[in-house]
Amino acid sequence: MYGFLRLFIFTIFLSLSLSAQELEQVSLQLAWKHQFQFAGYYMAKEKGFYEDAGFDVDIREFSGLDTIEEVLSGRATYGIGRSSLIIDIARGKELQMLAAIFQSSPSVFIALSDSGIYSIKDFKNKKIMVTQDMSNAVSLQSMLKKHHLSSEDMHLQKHSYSVDSLLNGETDIMAAYISNEPFLLKEKNREIRVFRAQNEGFDFYDDILFTSSFNVQKSMKRVGDFRDASLKGWEYAFAHIDETVDVIAKKYNTQKKSKNALRFEGEELKKLAYEQGHQLGEIDSNKIQRAYDVYNVMGLIQNNIDIHSFIFKYAHSFLTLKEKKYLVNKKMIKVCIDPDWMPYEKIEKGKYIGISADYFQLIQQRLKTKIELIKTESWNESLEFAKARKCDILSLAMKTPSREKYLNFTEPYIQLSLVLATKMNVPFIDNFKILKEKKIGATKGFAFIELLQNKYPNLDIVEVKNSEEGLMKVVNGELFGYVGSLADISHLFQKEYMGDLKISGKFESSWAHSIAVRNDDMLLLEIMKKALQSINFQERKTIENRWISIEYDERRDYTLFWWAFGILALGLSISLILFSKQREINKIMQDQAARDYMTQLYNRRYFMTTSGYILDLARRNNTQISLMMLDIDNFKHINDTYGHQIGDETIIAIANLMKSKSRKSDVITRWGGEEFLILLPETDIEGAKIIAEKIRMGILEIEIEVDKGEYIHVSVSIGVAEVNIENEINFEMAINRADEALYEAKESGKNRVCVKREEF
């Protein structure tokens, strides 16, 4: 018996020893001290995600070492870097970007509100503390150059890493992290102004997980496994912020931060990780290209590089053998949806259509498993079916405490804005607490009812069958207002209610929707998470654009352009009212300053500010630029005959048409009145003429309703010119040539494109 016991104990220890030896020893070099900034990696280790993937990970706190050199030398397997990795790669360092944790950089510049510093122009002759981090330097230089300043116009200081330097006057401006220093200053009851590079048009990734090209060549699969386990850790950390804060406070809190500070950090970084509905860890080559272009113009990169060559891609099946076997046995996944919630989803003539339907078509293809629609009569019935396990998943659902009793949720994949629709005579509402005892409609079963009741207990919420019924009750005076998603209400406004109802308020928080999975099937939850993660940014934008374009093509009456204008103007004006924090006001005001209020095209001031960068980039890369001047034919006659409202509708319709016919890189500007200018990077004069013809022909198809059943058509004249990038220091001469060509088009009978070439 004693011998058997010894053998048993020896076997256990041997098993444990062999198990430990099977784990691959790797190291991760952080870019700074332990804090929530690296929470995903901590949780991947603490929750066993790394171990499940076969890794024993040594997470190393920053100690002054060069992270890139640590990885290239092999002393560290993985590292955390900034967008400035692009510069290192361009200089010959063989690195691979695996995942961008933050879709926009947390790096900002801050100043005290009472400092007299209101804009970037006020940086002149000020003391500014910056780190040696290249990303901060580039952010600063980019913003300065846009405002015709340089680092020589101010006093640069070595960073003290203490907000006291700002408080005691040692410095005027400080490089900071949006998730750290603002909290410390708030604790000291000091108001600040925040200056962000992305608000100036310079948007960079941050905290990029990277490794050496050698490591990828050695085992692409293992690198992919490490990345996936890390992202799983990040997903967990953001979904369980309080738990993650407890772990950091207990095991990783070398900076001795308070739990409140860590929690604030987590909430702020989560916003950046999922900004604008991006997929966690996503790296878009177009955004990398834009960052490269900025570095190129700044003179930090001298040579061309293949953007795709250093963005890690591993084409492997994202499902485990266990998950594949599960799907084979299951044969189909049953989904319930909201049967009447366009443009998101709808059952129309028995068919599942809408934004979520397109997502599930991709998911079905990737899982190679049938997604079966379970038909219901209402969203509330869909919820009841989910409770009764008649469906496995809900296509679009918001997480609430009551739903978590029977459902689990993936990460959100659609973010919605929540708005209040009322009659036209209701003024903008900036405080929803004043709606006490007002009857507010909401669709029965919608999650935000539960959340609104918790936040605004005095609201008298009346449940209705759907949005259409809710809006009709507002028109009839049975309800004061109806709460719903902006896109949903917009969809209905296009069909009816124009002139009867308007948007009178916008709720601060967005409405995050996930796939909801029955909570007795954890394997299906993991499969759905992976399926969503496999849908890239471009696929998501294609789905979104498909349904947006349908909404604008369905009706030929261009009153909907007034709606589009109203929504855009509302987004600005409501934001100014609702978001009292100074940084939000600054951001909105900067955007207003760059846009034409009516069309939301860029204005002349913005063109004059930014066109120089495009010209610099063209010279550096030796690429061509063209531009066109466009003028609406007989516009005075339209105004005089049909009135200024029809004139405005005409301008808005043409503006929207130009946006739909142009490329993302083109800069469309309302030059003044009925005149527009379009800047066309990387386009010669022949290419510009083709684009101009497409726009001219498209505008001919526009119909403007001037009376019930009566429509008019409009036309434009266009002048095209090419910029001589070698001899012209700005766009003035090219604009003059385009203007001459426009005059020729007008004199030749209008409704045509004319070209003016440079005279040598």
Side-chain angles (χ1 to χ4, degrees):
M1 180 67 182
Y2 177 71
F4 173 77
L5 185 60
R6 287 182 62 190
L7 178 62
F8 176 75
I9 293 172
F10 174 75
T11 303
I12 293 295
F13 273 102
L14 180 62
S15 175
L16 290 172
S17 176
L18 289 173
S19 176
Q21 289 175 8
E22 289 172 1
L23 295 178
E24 181 183 348
Q25 305 286 322
V26 298
S27 55
L28 172 65
Q29 179 61 61
L30 303 181
W32 190 239
K33 305 292 184 181
H34 287 308
Q35 53 189 7
F36 204 103
Q37 181 184 351
F38 310 109
Y41 308 111
Y42 308 147
M43 299 313 287
K45 184 169 184 173
E46 297 297 325
K47 304 306 290 187
F49 302 146
Y50 283 141
E51 187 175 347
D52 291 344
F55 296 106
D56 180 11
V57 183
D58 176 21
I59 301 175
R60 299 175 182 172
E61 187 176 34
F62 179 76
S63 60
L65 298 173
D66 185 323
T67 304
I68 293 173
E69 290 305 318
E70 288 297 295
V71 171
L72 287 174
S73 68
R75 290 188 294 271
T77 323
Y78 300 93
I80 310 299
R82 314 289 189 220
S83 282
S84 54
L85 285 170
I86 300 168
I87 299 172
D88 296 289
I89 292 167
R91 293 174 179 174
K93 295 183 179 179
E94 297 187 354
L95 303 170
Q96 289 276 301
M97 296 182 177
L98 310 183
I101 304 305
F102 305 132
Q103 295 299 303
S104 285
S105 176
S107 296
V108 297
F109 294 94
I110 58 175
L112 296 177
S113 292
D114 57 7
S115 64
I117 300 169
Y118 300 98
S119 68
I120 303 299
K121 289 182 178 179
D122 296 328
F123 282 26
K124 189 171 184 178
N125 298 324
K126 296 295 189 297
K127 296 174 289 184
I128 177 168
M129 281 191 171
V130 295
T131 67
Q132 293 181 339
D133 188 329
M134 181 64 76
S135 64
N136 270 341
V138 172
S139 297
L140 177 62
Q141 295 299 331
S142 301
M143 291 192 291
L144 292 180
K145 186 169 183 179
K146 180 176 177 179
H147 292 275
H148 309 293
L149 296 171
S150 73
S151 56
E152 296 176 358
D153 293 318
M154 59 203 62
H155 309 291
L156 298 183
Q157 300 171 305
K158 185 178 179 181
H159 212 296
S160 67
Y161 299 102
S162 170
V163 295
D164 289 338
S165 298
L166 205 58
L167 295 173
N168 61 27
E170 289 177 32
T171 192
D172 301 308
I173 304 159
M174 176 179 285
Y177 243 48
I178 194 66
S179 52
N180 284 339
E181 285 78 4
F183 176 82
L184 298 175
L185 289 162
K186 185 178 179 182
E187 279 195 323
K188 296 175 183 290
N189 296 315
R190 296 303 301 269
E191 296 291 327
I192 61 171
R193 289 194 178 88
V194 178
F195 304 92
R196 303 184 70 174
Q198 48 265 57
N199 292 347
E200 300 293 327
F202 306 103
D203 198 9
F204 301 96
Y205 287 126
D206 215 329
D207 275 34
I208 299 171
L209 177 65
F210 73 95
T211 191
S212 64
S213 298
F214 173 78
N215 193 33
V216 172
Q217 292 164 6
K218 187 170 69 172
S219 179
M220 182 177 282
K221 181 182 184 306
R222 295 302 286 151
V223 172
D225 290 342
F226 182 86
R227 177 200 60 187
D228 293 348
S230 298
L231 291 177
K232 192 172 182 180
W234 272 111
E235 185 180 336
Y236 189 92
F238 285 136
H240 304 86
I241 288 179
D242 286 341
E243 179 187 344
T244 303
V245 165
D246 289 340
V247 169
I248 296 173
K250 184 177 180 181
K251 294 188 174 183
Y252 298 94
N253 198 11
T254 55
Q255 297 191 75
K256 303 190 184 306
K257 286 191 170 186
S258 69
K259 286 189 176 182
N260 284 339
L262 291 168
R263 192 172 295 108
F264 175 87
E265 187 182 3
E267 296 291 350
E268 289 297 313
L269 295 179
K270 182 176 181 179
K271 296 174 190 175
L272 297 178
Y274 295 106
E275 190 169 72
Q276 297 180 353
H278 285 276
Q279 182 180 331
L280 184 63
E282 178 183 306
I283 300 180
D284 178 14
S285 59
N286 292 319
K287 189 166 181 174
I288 293 291
Q289 181 67 57
R290 290 194 294 273
Y292 166 85
D293 290 342
V294 171
Y295 295 141
N296 189 304
V297 170
M298 301 292 294
L300 298 169
I301 295 178
Q302 306 298 331
N303 55 309
N304 292 323
I305 56 176
D306 179 4
I307 297 297
H308 299 280
S309 67
F310 56 84
I311 300 175
F312 177 78
K313 295 204 179 291
Y314 177 46
H316 70 314
S317 172
F318 57 81
L319 298 178
T320 65
L321 289 174
K322 184 178 179 181
E323 290 163 346
K324 289 178 182 178
K325 186 176 180 180
Y326 166 92
L327 290 175
V328 170
N329 293 332
K330 190 166 182 63
K331 296 181 181 177
M332 74 168 63
I333 299 169
K334 298 176 183 178
V335 60
C336 287
I337 72 168
D338 187 325
D340 189 14
W341 192 32
M342 286 297 285
Y344 300 107
E345 54 190 18
K346 185 178 183 179
I347 300 175
E348 186 170 84
K349 297 179 181 178
K351 187 179 178 183
Y352 177 19
I353 64 169
I355 292 173
S356 71
D358 285 3
Y359 271 92
F360 275 93
Q361 188 175 3
L362 289 176
I363 290 172
Q364 181 172 258
Q365 292 170 1
R366 292 187 185 169
L367 298 182
K368 298 178 181 177
T369 302
K370 185 178 181 181
I371 307 288
E372 179 75 14
L373 174 67
I374 304 300
K375 296 176 183 176
T376 58
E377 296 298 320
S378 67
W379 173 242
N380 203 51
E381 186 178 17
S382 291
L383 289 174
E384 293 301 322
F385 273 37
K387 285 181 186 177
R389 309 306 194 193
K390 292 181 182 180
C391 47
D392 300 309
I393 59 177
L394 294 172
S395 55
L396 269 175
M398 190 174 179
K399 184 190 292 187
T400 67
S402 62
R403 290 179 182 175
E404 286 184 292
K405 293 175 183 177
Y406 59 98
L407 294 168
N408 287 319
F409 295 82
T410 66
E411 284 300 317
Y413 70 104
I414 292 180
Q415 301 275 352
L416 312 181
S417 295
L418 199 61
V419 297
L420 176 69
T422 68
K423 287 188 174 182
M424 298 294 290
N425 61 342
V426 176
F428 284 131
I429 297 168
D430 61 350
N431 181 0
F432 291 95
K433 292 179 180 178
I434 68 173
L435 298 179
K436 182 179 179 181
E437 299 178 359
K438 300 282 188 184
K439 289 186 177 181
I440 306 297
T443 298
K444 187 175 182 180
F446 275 15
F448 66 77
I449 294 178
E450 183 179 339
L451 302 179
L452 287 178
Q453 285 175 331
N454 290 335
K455 189 167 185 179
Y456 305 105
N458 293 324
L459 284 183
D460 183 6
I461 295 178
V462 178
E463 294 186 339
V464 296
K465 181 181 178 181
N466 53 36
S467 300
E468 195 161 2
E469 180 182 288
L471 293 175
M472 184 57 70
K473 285 180 179 290
V474 177
V475 171
N476 295 337
E478 297 175 55
L479 296 172
F480 174 80
Y482 173 79
V483 176
S485 80
L486 179 59
D488 177 26
I489 292 175
S490 167
H491 172 76
L492 291 170
F493 270 31
Q494 290 174 25
K495 295 181 176 179
E496 46 193 321
Y497 309 117
M498 192 67 65
D500 294 319
L501 302 177
K502 70 172 187 178
I503 302 296
S504 293
K506 181 179 180 295
F507 292 84
E508 288 187 39
S509 54
S510 60
W511 190 12
H513 276 65
S514 310
I515 297 175
V517 183
R518 52 191 295 172
N519 65 356
D520 60 351
D521 197 336
M522 295 303 295
L523 204 53
L524 182 57
L525 175 66
E526 289 303 313
I527 290 169
M528 285 293 114
K529 285 180 179 180
K530 291 180 178 180
L532 271 181
Q533 289 171 358
S534 74
I535 301 173
N536 62 39
F537 178 71
Q538 191 56 52
E539 290 171 321
R540 292 170 188 241
K541 292 304 291 181
T542 299
I543 291 171
E544 177 187 326
N545 292 338
R546 182 183 301 138
W547 288 99
I548 289 174
S549 64
I550 287 173
E551 294 311 308
Y552 281 87
D553 288 340
E554 278 182 346
R555 292 185 62 185
R556 303 297 296 190
D557 92 358
Y558 280 84
T559 54
L560 66 94
F561 284 110
W562 270 109
W563 167 246
F565 160 62
I567 290 299
L568 289 165
L570 169 75
L572 296 174
S573 57
I574 292 265
S575 295
L576 279 170
I577 296 168
L578 294 181
F579 301 111
S580 58
K581 293 181 181 178
Q582 189 65 46
R583 67 174 185 268
E584 294 294 340
I585 294 175
N586 286 345
K587 181 178 179 181
I588 293 163
M589 290 182 70
Q590 288 161 2
D591 190 54
Q592 280 184 319
R595 299 273 181 185
D596 170 60
Y597 186 74
M598 179 189 295
T599 63
Q600 287 302 297
L601 298 177
Y602 290 119
N603 58 27
R604 194 166 184 161
R605 177 178 175 272
Y606 176 85
F607 176 88
M608 301 306 292
T609 302
T610 60
S611 57
Y613 301 107
I614 299 173
L615 189 56
D616 286 347
L617 185 61
R619 288 195 188 106
R620 189 174 294 276
N621 293 332
N622 195 30
T623 57
Q624 294 160 304
I625 305 179
S626 295
L627 52 81
M628 66 176 77
M629 295 288 292
L630 180 151
D631 188 84
I632 303 173
D633 295 331
N634 305 313
F635 185 73
K636 186 177 185 301
H637 172 74
I638 294 171
N639 258 342
D640 293 345
T641 305
Y642 303 107
H644 289 288
Q645 180 171 338
I646 297 301
D648 290 347
E649 288 183 31
T650 302
I651 289 172
I652 294 167
I654 289 173
N656 280 277
L657 187 282
M658 287 190 293
K659 284 186 274 189
S660 71
K661 297 291 184 184
S662 300
R663 305 163 299 179
K664 289 183 179 179
S665 58
D666 299 339
V667 180
I668 311 173
T669 304
R670 187 178 181 195
W671 202 242
E674 65 272 20
E675 195 171 44
F676 304 87
L677 184 146
I678 305 179
L679 191 62
L680 305 165
E682 299 184 17
T683 307
D684 62 15
I685 199 163
E686 295 303 323
K689 185 177 179 181
I690 292 170
I691 295 171
E693 279 293 346
K694 282 173 59 180
I695 290 173
R696 186 187 69 81
M697 294 297 292
I699 289 171
L700 286 175
E701 296 179 8
I702 292 176
E703 291 180 329
I704 308 295
E705 187 174 30
V706 296
D707 201 356
K708 192 171 184 180
E710 181 184 349
Y711 297 86
I712 61 169
H713 290 269
V714 292
S715 67
V716 295
S717 300
I718 304 175
V720 177
E722 185 174 343
V723 182
N724 184 333
I725 62 171
E726 292 183 3
N727 299 323
E728 293 177 351
I729 61 173
N730 55 38
F731 288 103
E732 184 177 348
M733 296 300 294
I735 291 172
N736 288 340
R737 289 195 297 276
D739 201 36
E740 290 174 15
L742 173 61
Y743 179 79
E744 181 184 343
K746 291 282 189 183
E747 290 295 302
S748 303
K750 303 177 183 177
N751 185 28
R752 65 193 62 212
V753 175
C754 287
V755 173
K756 179 73 173 179
R757 301 179 189 275
E758 185 182 13
E759 297 178 1
F760 295 96

